[in-house]
Amino acid sequence: MKPLRVEFQAFGPYAGREEVDFEALSKGGLFLICGKTGTGKTMILDAITFALYGKSSGNGRNDFEAMRCTGAPFEVPTYVLFEFENNGETYRFERRLEPKRKRLSASYNLMRRDDDGAWEVLLENAREKALGEKAVEIIGLEYDQFRQVIVLPQGQFERLLTSKSEEKEEILTSIFGEEKWHVIAERFYAEAEERKNALKEAKDKLKAGLADEGCETIEQLEDKLQGSVEARARIEEEHREAGLDEVIDRQKKMLTLAGRFKELRNAGAKLEELQAGRENRDRTESRIRDARRAEKVRPLMDAAHRAEENLRKRSAEEESAREALVRIQEMAARAAEELKAHRDKSGEIEERNKLAVRYETKRADYEGIEAALRDLADKQKKARTAADEERAARL
């Protein structure tokens, strides 16, 4: 990691804005941050570690608000900003305390410079924890390792020298990028272990094979093999001397002849199968021819079926027509009888009509008589009433 610039405001004893340009200082070679005790040298390192990890370089002050300068006005924000180069990339870590109403609000930002020199945001809506994790990811050092290797606060260099071998190894491995060599070494160890196991397995198989042959060493197995070769040579020599070759030849000829008989039997069986197949084929072809003839006759049969069906339908329709004619004839006969009866009764009806006319005339006369009687009764009643009134008047 190569520091380029640190900037801070209202941080520690510094009430205003301060900036340290490490690029300008490093142009002359090495530079030294020096001064009397209490002049704020350590606060520059605190600004760097706070920007990266949110903790001071001495691990004694880890509250951002506690690091705010008490002499700065409330409306002045507190911030630390650190720019550095790592593996050819330039990064900017920033932490801020913005005054809002009656409290301070923290915000975090991480940017990287692109090829055109513009800053691009790496973390959207960054949080404090995410910013610290990004610092570890980019630099490759945890906070304690960064303090021991990069910052080295007062009294801490001795701690690095006196730390345990495991801790030194972890720090130096992280600094010099030795992780890849560890990975390669682990692969070598793993491959060596695999080959060792394979060799052991081969030895176990060899030992088991020797035990199966009743041997303890390879030399014994070779001696046993040589004895077997010599024994085979002796047997072959005895074989030739005994004339067994001729016997074997005769046996081979007999086997060949037997094989030919077997082939003949197989051929006969195959011929029978073919003959049976031919008969089946003939039967099948005969069925096919019958089917083809049936296909030709089928239209005629279908036409006959349709004609027969039409005939049945027409017969049914004629039967229905005959039944309907019988019903109509019966209805006509009943109508004729009713007409005759109606004609017979028409004379009676005419006489009844005449009587009804006469009865109606007499009823009208009777009603006139009844009205006259009612009128006469009323007049008599009025006359009696008048007579009674006249007698009453005389008295």
Side-chain angles (χ1 to χ4, degrees), residues 95-157:
R95 297 172 187 260
R96 301 181 68 89
L97 284 176
E98 298 285 350
K100 291 185 178 179
R101 296 184 180 179
K102 296 183 179 181
R103 57 186 295 273
L104 297 172
S105 177
S107 62
Y108 311 92
N109 193 15
L110 171 58
M111 292 185 290
R112 178 178 59 191
R113 195 190 300 273
D114 60 18
D115 296 336
D116 298 328
W119 290 102
E120 60 177 348
V121 178
L122 292 184
L123 287 177
E124 297 288 346
N125 301 320
R127 296 291 184 266
E128 182 178 9
K129 182 179 179 181
L131 197 64
E133 292 174 349
K134 270 293 183 182
V136 176
E137 177 184 337
I138 293 172
I139 300 173
L141 295 173
E142 298 284 348
Y143 165 68
D144 291 331
Q145 296 173 344
F146 184 82
R147 290 174 60 245
Q148 289 180 303
V149 175
I150 304 298
V151 179
L152 290 177
Q154 296 179 6
Q156 297 297 323
F157 185 69

Coordinates of all heavy atoms in Angstrom, one line a residue, residues 95-157:
R95 N -15.0 8.8 6.0 CA -16.0 8.7 7.1 C -16.3 10.1 7.5 O -15.4 11.0 7.7 CB -15.5 7.9 8.3 CG -15.2 6.5 7.9 CD -14.5 5.7 9.0 NE -14.0 4.4 8.6 CZ -14.7 3.3 8.9 NH1 -15.8 3.3 9.6 NH2 -14.2 2.1 8.5
R96 N -17.6 10.4 7.7 CA -18.1 11.8 8.0 C -19.1 11.8 9.2 O -19.8 10.8 9.4 CB -18.7 12.4 6.8 CG -17.8 12.5 5.6 CD -18.5 13.2 4.4 NE -18.8 14.6 4.7 CZ -17.9 15.6 4.5 NH1 -16.8 15.4 3.9 NH2 -18.2 16.9 4.7
L97 N -19.1 12.9 9.9 CA -20.1 13.1 11.0 C -20.8 14.5 10.6 O -20.2 15.5 10.8 CB -19.5 13.2 12.4 CG -19.1 11.9 13.0 CD1 -18.4 12.1 14.3 CD2 -20.3 11.0 13.2
E98 N -22.0 14.4 10.1 CA -22.7 15.6 9.6 C -23.6 16.1 10.7 O -24.4 15.3 11.2 CB -23.5 15.3 8.3 CG -22.6 14.9 7.2 CD -21.9 16.1 6.6 OE1 -22.2 17.2 6.9 OE2 -21.0 15.8 5.7
P99 N -23.6 17.3 11.1 CA -24.5 17.8 12.1 C -25.9 18.0 11.5 O -26.1 18.6 10.5 CB -24.0 19.2 12.5 CG -23.1 19.6 11.3 CD -22.6 18.3 10.7
K100 N -26.9 17.3 12.2 CA -28.3 17.4 11.8 C -29.2 17.7 13.0 O -29.2 16.8 13.9 CB -28.7 16.1 11.1 CG -28.1 15.9 9.7 CD -28.6 14.7 9.0 CE -27.9 14.5 7.6 NZ -28.4 13.3 6.9
R101 N -29.8 18.9 13.0 CA -30.6 19.3 14.1 C -29.7 19.3 15.4 O -28.8 20.0 15.5 CB -31.8 18.5 14.3 CG -32.8 18.6 13.1 CD -34.1 17.8 13.3 NE -34.9 17.9 12.2 CZ -36.1 17.3 12.1 NH1 -36.6 16.6 13.1 NH2 -36.9 17.5 11.0
K102 N -30.1 18.4 16.3 CA -29.3 18.4 17.6 C -28.4 17.2 17.7 O -27.9 16.9 18.8 CB -30.3 18.4 18.8 CG -31.1 19.7 18.8 CD -32.1 19.6 20.1 CE -32.9 20.9 20.1 NZ -33.8 20.9 21.4
R103 N -28.2 16.5 16.7 CA -27.3 15.3 16.7 C -26.4 15.2 15.5 O -26.6 16.0 14.6 CB -28.2 14.0 16.8 CG -29.1 13.8 15.7 CD -30.0 12.6 16.0 NE -29.3 11.4 16.0 CZ -29.0 10.7 14.9 NH1 -29.4 11.1 13.7 NH2 -28.3 9.6 15.0
L104 N -25.5 14.3 15.6 CA -24.5 14.0 14.5 C -24.9 12.8 13.8 O -25.2 11.7 14.4 CB -23.1 14.0 15.0 CG -22.5 15.2 15.7 CD1 -21.2 14.9 16.3 CD2 -22.4 16.4 14.7
S105 N -24.9 12.8 12.4 CA -25.3 11.6 11.6 C -24.0 11.2 10.9 O -23.3 12.0 10.2 CB -26.4 12.0 10.6 OG -26.7 10.9 9.8
A106 N -23.7 9.9 11.0 CA -22.5 9.3 10.4 C -22.9 8.8 8.9 O -23.9 8.4 8.7 CB -22.0 8.1 11.2
S107 N -21.9 9.0 8.0 CA -22.0 8.5 6.7 C -20.6 8.0 6.2 O -19.6 8.4 6.8 CB -22.5 9.6 5.7 OG -21.5 10.7 5.7
Y108 N -20.6 7.1 5.2 CA -19.4 6.4 4.8 C -19.4 6.3 3.3 O -20.4 6.2 2.6 CB -19.4 5.0 5.4 CG -19.7 4.9 6.9 CD1 -21.0 4.8 7.4 CD2 -18.7 5.2 7.8 CE1 -21.3 4.8 8.7 CE2 -18.9 5.2 9.2 CZ -20.2 5.0 9.6 OH -20.5 5.0 11.0
N109 N -18.2 6.3 2.8 CA -18.0 6.3 1.3 C -16.7 5.6 0.9 O -15.7 5.7 1.6 CB -18.0 7.8 0.8 CG -18.2 7.8 -0.7 OD1 -18.6 6.9 -1.4 ND2 -17.9 9.0 -1.3
L110 N -16.8 4.9 -0.2 CA -15.6 4.3 -0.8 C -15.7 4.4 -2.3 O -16.7 4.1 -2.9 CB -15.6 2.8 -0.4 CG -14.5 1.9 -1.1 CD1 -13.1 2.4 -0.8 CD2 -14.7 0.5 -0.7
M111 N -14.5 5.0 -2.8 CA -14.5 5.2 -4.3 C -13.1 4.7 -4.8 O -12.2 4.5 -4.1 CB -14.6 6.7 -4.6 CG -16.0 7.3 -4.3 SD -16.3 9.0 -4.8 CE -15.2 9.8 -3.6
R112 N -13.1 4.5 -6.1 CA -11.9 4.1 -6.8 C -11.8 4.9 -8.1 O -12.7 5.3 -8.8 CB -12.0 2.6 -7.2 CG -10.8 2.1 -8.0 CD -11.0 0.6 -8.2 NE -12.2 0.3 -9.0 CZ -12.7 -0.9 -9.2 NH1 -12.1 -1.9 -8.7 NH2 -13.8 -1.0 -9.9
R113 N -10.5 5.3 -8.4 CA -10.3 6.1 -9.6 C -10.2 5.2 -10.8 O -9.5 4.2 -10.8 CB -8.9 6.9 -9.4 CG -8.8 8.0 -10.4 CD -7.3 8.6 -10.4 NE -7.0 9.1 -9.1 CZ -7.2 10.3 -8.6 NH1 -7.9 11.2 -9.4 NH2 -6.9 10.7 -7.4
D114 N -11.0 5.6 -11.9 CA -11.0 4.8 -13.1 C -9.9 5.2 -14.0 O -9.0 6.0 -13.7 CB -12.3 4.9 -13.8 CG -12.7 6.3 -14.2 OD1 -11.8 7.1 -14.2 OD2 -13.9 6.6 -14.5
D115 N -9.8 4.6 -15.2 CA -8.7 4.9 -16.1 C -8.7 6.3 -16.6 O -7.7 6.8 -17.0 CB -8.9 3.9 -17.3 CG -8.7 2.5 -16.9 OD1 -8.0 2.2 -15.9 OD2 -9.2 1.6 -17.7
D116 N -9.9 7.0 -16.6 CA -10.0 8.4 -17.0 C -9.7 9.4 -15.9 O -9.7 10.6 -16.1 CB -11.4 8.7 -17.6 CG -11.6 7.8 -18.8 OD1 -10.7 7.5 -19.6 OD2 -12.8 7.5 -19.0
G117 N -9.4 8.9 -14.7 CA -9.1 9.7 -13.6 C -10.3 10.2 -12.8 O -10.1 10.9 -11.8
A118 N -11.5 9.7 -13.1 CA -12.7 10.0 -12.4 C -12.9 9.1 -11.3 O -12.5 7.9 -11.4 CB -13.9 10.1 -13.4
W119 N -13.6 9.5 -10.2 CA -13.9 8.7 -9.1 C -15.2 7.9 -9.3 O -16.2 8.6 -9.6 CB -13.9 9.5 -7.8 CG -12.6 10.0 -7.4 CD1 -12.1 11.3 -7.5 CD2 -11.6 9.3 -6.7 NE1 -10.9 11.4 -7.0 CE2 -10.5 10.2 -6.5 CE3 -11.4 8.0 -6.3 CZ2 -9.3 9.8 -5.9 CZ3 -10.2 7.6 -5.7 CH2 -9.2 8.5 -5.4
E120 N -15.2 6.6 -9.1 CA -16.4 5.8 -9.1 C -16.7 5.2 -7.8 O -15.8 4.8 -7.0 CB -16.3 4.7 -10.2 CG -15.1 3.8 -9.9 CD -15.1 2.6 -10.9 OE1 -16.1 2.5 -11.7 OE2 -14.1 1.9 -11.0
V121 N -18.0 5.2 -7.4 CA -18.4 4.7 -6.1 C -18.4 3.2 -6.1 O -18.9 2.5 -7.1 CB -19.8 5.2 -5.8 CG1 -20.3 4.6 -4.4 CG2 -19.9 6.7 -5.7
L122 N -17.8 2.6 -5.1 CA -17.7 1.1 -5.0 C -18.8 0.6 -4.1 O -19.2 -0.6 -4.3 CB -16.3 0.7 -4.5 CG -15.1 0.9 -5.4 CD1 -13.9 0.3 -4.8 CD2 -15.4 0.3 -6.8
L123 N -19.2 1.3 -3.1 CA -20.3 0.9 -2.2 C -21.4 1.9 -2.2 O -21.2 3.0 -1.8 CB -19.7 0.7 -0.8 CG -18.8 -0.4 -0.5 CD1 -18.2 -0.4 0.9 CD2 -19.4 -1.8 -0.8
E124 N -22.6 1.4 -2.6 CA -23.8 2.2 -2.5 C -24.4 2.1 -1.1 O -24.6 1.0 -0.6 CB -24.8 1.8 -3.6 CG -24.3 2.0 -5.0 CD -24.3 3.4 -5.5 OE1 -24.9 4.3 -4.7 OE2 -23.7 3.7 -6.5
N125 N -24.8 3.2 -0.5 CA -25.3 3.3 0.8 C -24.4 2.4 1.8 O -24.9 1.5 2.5 CB -26.7 2.7 0.8 CG -27.7 3.5 -0.1 OD1 -27.6 4.7 -0.1 ND2 -28.5 2.8 -0.8
A126 N -23.2 2.8 1.8 CA -22.2 2.0 2.6 C -22.5 2.1 4.0 O -23.0 3.1 4.6 CB -20.8 2.5 2.3
R127 N -22.2 1.0 4.8 CA -22.3 0.9 6.2 C -20.9 0.8 6.8 O -19.9 0.4 6.1 CB -23.2 -0.2 6.6 CG -24.6 -0.1 6.2 CD -25.3 1.0 6.9 NE -26.7 1.1 6.6 CZ -27.2 2.0 5.6 NH1 -26.3 2.7 4.9 NH2 -28.5 2.0 5.4
E128 N -20.8 1.1 8.1 CA -19.5 1.1 8.8 C -18.8 -0.3 8.7 O -17.6 -0.4 8.4 CB -19.7 1.5 10.2 CG -18.4 1.6 11.0 CD -18.6 2.0 12.4 OE1 -19.7 2.1 12.9 OE2 -17.6 2.3 13.1
K129 N -19.6 -1.3 8.9 CA -19.0 -2.7 8.9 C -18.5 -3.0 7.5 O -17.4 -3.6 7.3 CB -20.0 -3.7 9.4 CG -19.5 -5.1 9.4 CD -20.6 -6.1 9.9 CE -20.1 -7.5 10.0 NZ -21.1 -8.4 10.4
A130 N -19.3 -2.7 6.5 CA -19.0 -3.0 5.1 C -17.7 -2.3 4.7 O -16.8 -2.8 4.0 CB -20.1 -2.7 4.2
L131 N -17.5 -1.0 5.2 CA -16.3 -0.3 4.8 C -15.1 -0.9 5.4 O -14.1 -1.0 4.8 CB -16.5 1.2 5.3 CG -15.6 2.2 4.7 CD1 -15.8 2.3 3.2 CD2 -15.7 3.6 5.4
G132 N -15.2 -1.4 6.7 CA -14.0 -2.0 7.3 C -13.7 -3.3 6.6 O -12.5 -3.7 6.4
E133 N -14.7 -4.1 6.2 CA -14.5 -5.3 5.5 C -13.8 -5.1 4.1 O -12.9 -5.9 3.7 CB -15.8 -6.1 5.3 CG -16.4 -6.6 6.6 CD -17.8 -7.2 6.4 OE1 -18.3 -7.0 5.3 OE2 -18.3 -7.9 7.3
K134 N -14.2 -4.0 3.5 CA -13.6 -3.7 2.2 C -12.1 -3.3 2.4 O -11.2 -3.6 1.5 CB -14.3 -2.5 1.5 CG -15.4 -3.0 0.6 CD -14.9 -3.7 -0.6 CE -15.9 -4.1 -1.6 NZ -15.4 -4.8 -2.7
A135 N -11.8 -2.6 3.5 CA -10.4 -2.2 3.8 C -9.5 -3.5 3.9 O -8.4 -3.6 3.4 CB -10.3 -1.4 5.0
V136 N -10.0 -4.5 4.6 CA -9.3 -5.8 4.8 C -9.2 -6.5 3.5 O -8.1 -7.0 3.1 CB -10.0 -6.7 5.8 CG1 -9.4 -8.0 5.9 CG2 -10.1 -6.0 7.2
E137 N -10.2 -6.4 2.6 CA -10.2 -7.1 1.3 C -9.2 -6.4 0.4 O -8.4 -7.1 -0.3 CB -11.6 -7.1 0.7 CG -11.6 -7.7 -0.7 CD -13.0 -7.5 -1.3 OE1 -14.0 -7.4 -0.5 OE2 -13.1 -7.5 -2.5
I138 N -9.1 -5.1 0.4 CA -8.2 -4.4 -0.6 C -6.8 -4.5 -0.1 O -5.9 -4.8 -0.9 CB -8.7 -3.0 -0.7 CG1 -10.1 -2.9 -1.4 CG2 -7.7 -2.2 -1.5 CD1 -10.7 -1.6 -1.5
I139 N -6.5 -4.1 1.2 CA -5.2 -4.1 1.7 C -4.6 -5.4 2.0 O -3.4 -5.7 1.9 CB -5.1 -3.1 2.9 CG1 -5.6 -1.7 2.6 CG2 -3.7 -3.1 3.5 CD1 -5.8 -0.8 3.8
G140 N -5.5 -6.3 2.5 CA -5.0 -7.7 2.8 C -4.6 -7.8 4.2 O -3.9 -8.8 4.6
L141 N -4.9 -6.8 5.1 CA -4.4 -6.8 6.5 C -5.6 -6.5 7.4 O -6.4 -5.6 7.1 CB -3.3 -5.8 6.7 CG -2.0 -6.0 6.0 CD1 -1.1 -4.8 6.2 CD2 -1.3 -7.2 6.5
E142 N -5.7 -7.3 8.5 CA -6.7 -6.9 9.5 C -6.2 -5.7 10.2 O -5.1 -5.2 10.1 CB -6.8 -8.1 10.5 CG -7.4 -9.4 9.9 CD -8.9 -9.3 9.6 OE1 -9.5 -8.4 10.1 OE2 -9.4 -10.2 8.9
Y143 N -7.1 -5.1 11.1 CA -6.7 -3.9 11.8 C -5.5 -4.1 12.6 O -4.6 -3.2 12.6 CB -7.9 -3.5 12.7 CG -7.6 -2.4 13.7 CD1 -7.3 -1.1 13.3 CD2 -7.6 -2.8 15.1 CE1 -6.9 -0.2 14.3 CE2 -7.3 -1.8 16.0 CZ -7.0 -0.5 15.6 OH -6.6 0.4 16.6
D144 N -5.4 -5.1 13.4 CA -4.2 -5.3 14.3 C -3.0 -5.5 13.5 O -1.9 -5.0 13.8 CB -4.5 -6.5 15.2 CG -5.5 -6.3 16.3 OD1 -5.7 -5.1 16.6 OD2 -6.2 -7.2 16.7
Q145 N -3.1 -6.3 12.4 CA -1.9 -6.5 11.5 C -1.5 -5.1 10.9 O -0.3 -4.9 10.7 CB -2.3 -7.5 10.4 CG -2.6 -8.9 10.9 CD -3.1 -9.8 9.8 OE1 -3.5 -9.3 8.8 NE2 -3.0 -11.1 10.1
F146 N -2.4 -4.3 10.5 CA -2.1 -3.0 9.9 C -1.4 -2.1 10.9 O -0.4 -1.4 10.6 CB -3.4 -2.3 9.5 CG -3.2 -1.0 8.8 CD1 -2.9 -0.9 7.4 CD2 -3.3 0.2 9.5 CE1 -2.7 0.3 6.8 CE2 -3.1 1.4 8.8 CZ -2.8 1.5 7.5
R147 N -1.8 -2.2 12.2 CA -1.1 -1.4 13.2 C 0.3 -1.9 13.4 O 1.2 -1.1 13.6 CB -1.9 -1.5 14.5 CG -3.2 -0.7 14.5 CD -4.1 -1.0 15.7 NE -3.3 -0.5 16.9 CZ -2.9 -1.3 17.9 NH1 -3.1 -2.6 17.8 NH2 -2.2 -0.8 18.9
Q148 N 0.5 -3.2 13.4 CA 1.8 -3.8 13.7 C 2.8 -3.6 12.5 O 4.0 -3.5 12.7 CB 1.7 -5.3 14.0 CG 1.1 -5.5 15.4 CD 1.0 -7.0 15.6 OE1 0.4 -7.8 14.9 NE2 1.6 -7.4 16.7
V149 N 2.3 -3.6 11.3 CA 3.1 -3.5 10.1 C 3.3 -2.2 9.5 O 4.4 -1.7 9.2 CB 2.6 -4.5 9.1 CG1 3.4 -4.5 7.8 CG2 2.6 -5.9 9.6
I150 N 2.2 -1.4 9.4 CA 2.2 -0.2 8.7 C 2.3 1.0 9.6 O 3.2 1.9 9.4 CB 0.9 0.0 7.8 CG1 0.7 -1.2 6.9 CG2 0.9 1.3 7.1 CD1 1.8 -1.4 5.9
V151 N 1.5 1.1 10.6 CA 1.5 2.2 11.5 C 2.6 2.1 12.6 O 3.4 3.1 12.8 CB 0.1 2.4 12.2 CG1 0.1 3.6 13.1 CG2 -0.9 2.5 11.1
L152 N 2.7 1.0 13.2 CA 3.7 0.8 14.3 C 3.7 1.9 15.3 O 4.6 2.8 15.4 CB 5.1 0.7 13.7 CG 5.4 -0.6 13.0 CD1 6.8 -0.5 12.4 CD2 5.3 -1.8 13.8
P153 N 2.6 2.0 16.2 CA 2.5 3.0 17.2 C 3.7 2.9 18.2 O 4.4 1.9 18.2 CB 1.2 2.8 17.8 CG 0.4 1.9 16.9 CD 1.5 1.1 16.2
Q154 N 3.8 3.9 19.0 CA 4.8 3.9 20.0 C 4.7 2.7 21.0 O 3.6 2.4 21.5 CB 4.8 5.2 20.9 CG 5.0 6.4 20.1 CD 4.9 7.7 21.0 OE1 4.8 7.6 22.2 NE2 5.0 8.8 20.3
G155 N 5.8 2.0 21.1 CA 5.8 0.8 22.0 C 5.3 -0.5 21.4 O 5.3 -1.5 22.0
Q156 N 4.8 -0.4 20.1 CA 4.2 -1.6 19.4 C 5.2 -2.3 18.6 O 5.0 -3.5 18.2 CB 3.0 -1.1 18.6 CG 1.9 -0.5 19.3 CD 1.3 -1.5 20.3 OE1 1.2 -2.7 20.0 NE2 0.9 -1.1 21.5
F157 N 6.4 -1.6 18.2 CA 7.3 -2.3 17.4 C 8.0 -3.5 18.1 O 8.2 -4.6 17.6 CB 8.4 -1.3 16.9 CG 9.4 -1.9 16.0 CD1 9.0 -2.3 14.7 CD2 10.7 -2.2 16.3 CE1 9.9 -2.8 13.8 CE2 11.6 -2.8 15.4 CZ 11.2 -3.1 14.2

